[in-house]
Amino acid sequence: LPVVGLLIIAIIVSLVFFLPQQQNPTLETEQNLEGLPLASETIAVNLGEGDLFELSAEPIVQTVDGKKFAGYAYNNQFPGPLLKVKQGSKVKILFKNNLPEPTTVHWHGLRLENRFDGVPKVTQEEVKPGQFFEYELSFPDAGLYWYHPHVREDRQQEFGLYGTILVEPKENFLNEMREEVLVLDDLLFEGDKIPAFEEKEANFAIMGRFGSVLLVNGKSDFRLDVKAGEPMRLYLLNAANARPFRFAIEDTRLKVIGGDAGLFEKPFFTDNVTLGPSERVIVEIFFEEVGSFAMQNNTPLGVSSLGKIVVSPNEISLSEKDSFEVIQENTLSKEEIEKFKPLFAQKPDFEYELLI
């Protein structure tokens, strides 16, 4: 019997390794570009209480790092429209799916009614090609949020389906200054082509793939022009499916004032900030020197370019510089946290142990 058992095992191993393996069906990424609109840059849209905004997802032609390919976009914009709203307001989004496949829109980080969260078979059904779905959004919290599909994120999001939402606080603790939203991403090319996606599931990491080209706001050669002495607030988002970013600016300190949950109780200075996929960070910067400063993904494995910030001459205000250097507690955030401090030492009602 032991000999028979070993023989059976040998036969099974031989079948596994030497018979032709069945490959999962793939969705080819090479499509006819003829007739597709060219992707345009992001347009900021101010929405007031009760406004209705029309949002559509459709195939477009993208150009990344000199390579043209058929991608997806919201309202033909890559990244999608930047929605600017006020804290406490409510708006409606009339979404139309012009893609050749089902999709939804998930409003990442927003506290809203569950039926509008955009998770297929959990909070809503998939929006089929040609169909509409009306989302009702509320904005109880200030900060940076974003929207993207929850159907095959590894492909649809990779192709360009994402956009941002900037919620202006009711009571603004922050100093007035120029603000910019920077969306970090990457895209994988093999030669001049995007590798095919498997039909049923992701074929690289669980949610997607590490890219070979790094992007900021859809560009591999991103440039931001500022003036010396001009303070600036950057709202950073990592929209990559799998890659974490360690964001830095050459010879520049970052004043970190907030993240996913809004403004911090106490800001701090650092040389870099790490953003996992979907994470947001809010930083302020100030340049005294004129010149070109590299934006970097500065990791232990090496430094990669994310573009550059070009600083032009300008009269520097000492009051602006002094204001930037001050670390001031955010009294509004502190008051919010104080409400929950009695719970910090409270014994939890339930404890779960996760084993791997």
Side-chain angles (χ1 to χ4, degrees):
L1 284 176
V3 175
V4 174
L6 290 173
L7 181 59
I8 292 173
I9 292 172
I11 292 172
I12 292 173
V13 170
S14 298
L15 289 173
V16 168
F17 283 96
F18 297 109
L19 284 182
Q21 299 296 303
Q22 181 179 359
Q23 298 295 322
N24 289 332
T26 59
L27 295 173
E28 296 302 325
T29 55
E30 294 182 65
Q31 300 179 30
N32 187 0
L33 305 185
E34 187 175 348
L36 294 181
L38 297 176
S40 58
E41 294 186 0
T42 299
I43 298 175
V45 180
N46 291 296
L47 299 177
E49 172 67 29
D51 281 354
L52 174 68
F53 181 72
E54 295 183 1
L55 184 74
S56 59
E58 51 253 325
I60 48 88
V61 175
Q62 289 185 17
T63 303
V64 170
D65 199 31
K67 307 172 181 68
K68 282 190 176 183
F69 62 96
Y72 291 162
Y74 290 118
N75 290 16
N76 290 339
Q77 299 168 37
F78 176 52
L82 166 58
L83 308 181
K84 291 188 172 184
V85 297
K86 295 187 182 298
Q87 183 181 9
S89 65
K90 295 182 179 181
V91 303
K92 293 182 178 181
I93 306 292
L94 181 59
F95 172 69
K96 183 181 181 183
N97 181 13
N98 291 324
L99 301 177
E101 59 181 307
T103 191
T104 63
V105 185
H106 171 64
W107 309 93
H108 196 109
L110 289 183
R111 291 193 291 145
L112 74 176
E113 287 189 54
N114 197 46
R115 61 196 174 108
F116 299 123
D117 196 43
V119 182
K121 304 188 187 306
V122 178
T123 66
Q124 70 168 96
E125 294 301 317
E126 294 177 338
V127 184
K128 306 294 185 186
Q131 288 185 343
F132 292 84
F133 189 92
E134 187 171 281
Y135 293 93
E136 296 180 14
L137 308 183
S138 53
F139 307 97
D141 310 300
L144 180 67
Y145 304 91
W146 67 300
Y147 55 96
H148 59 86
H150 250 314
V151 176
R152 287 303 301 269
E153 299 97 314
D154 67 297
R155 184 177 68 251
Q156 294 187 8
Q157 190 174 307
E158 182 82 352
F159 272 170
L161 282 184
Y162 54 78
T164 50
I165 306 168
L166 191 55
V167 184
E168 179 185 331
K170 284 180 184 177
E171 301 177 70
N172 201 345
F173 171 84
L174 302 175
N175 295 329
E176 286 192 15
M177 65 180 68
R178 179 180 168 188
E179 297 183 328
E180 295 287 344
V181 175
L182 303 186
V183 183
L184 314 180
D185 193 12
D186 63 358
L187 192 59
L188 178 63
F189 287 95
E190 291 182 352
D192 291 336
K193 299 176 183 178
I194 295 176
F197 294 88
E198 286 193 6
E199 184 178 6
K200 300 295 185 183
E201 58 192 15
N203 54 349
F204 285 78
I206 294 175
M207 292 293 293
R209 45 182 74 177
F210 275 79
S212 54
V213 177
L214 304 185
L215 306 174
V216 176
N217 291 357
K219 299 179 183 297
S220 59
D221 56 352
F222 180 80
R223 170 176 169 152
L224 184 62
D225 291 292
V226 303
K227 294 179 180 179
E230 175 188 33
M232 180 179 296
R233 186 172 299 123
L234 301 180
Y235 292 86
L236 306 174
L237 161 68
N238 180 1
N241 296 73
R243 178 189 297 276
F245 283 90
R246 193 165 179 247
F247 178 86
I249 301 173
E250 181 184 18
D251 298 327
T252 303
R253 289 186 306 157
L254 307 177
K255 186 177 183 180
V256 184
I257 66 169
D260 286 353
L263 298 178
F264 294 155
E265 184 177 358
K266 190 174 182 179
F268 62 92
F269 284 102
T270 185
D271 294 327
N272 58 73
V273 289
T274 300
L275 299 92
S278 300
E279 194 172 359
R280 288 93 65 202
V281 174
I282 309 170
V283 302
E284 293 178 351
I285 54 176
F286 186 90
F287 294 96
E288 295 184 69
E289 303 294 329
V290 173
S292 180
F293 297 82
M295 291 170 44
Q296 302 168 335
N297 183 32
N298 192 336
T299 76
L301 298 179
V303 178
S304 303
S305 174
L306 290 169
K308 61 184 177 181
I309 296 178
V310 179
V311 183
S312 58
N314 186 44
E315 184 177 343
I316 296 178
S317 166
L318 291 179
S319 62
E320 292 282 12
K321 183 179 184 301
D322 291 343
S323 177
F324 176 75
E325 295 293 336
V326 171
I327 294 293
Q328 184 176 356
E329 282 193 345
N330 187 327
T331 55
L332 297 177
S333 295
K334 189 172 183 178
E335 289 171 5
E336 284 294 313
I337 295 171
E338 286 293 333
K339 299 175 186 177
F340 299 98
K341 280 193 174 177
L343 301 175
F344 288 2
Q346 186 174 314
K347 186 178 179 180
D349 296 323
F350 301 97
E351 292 187 13
Y352 296 93
E353 184 178 3
L354 299 179
L355 302 176
I356 299 177

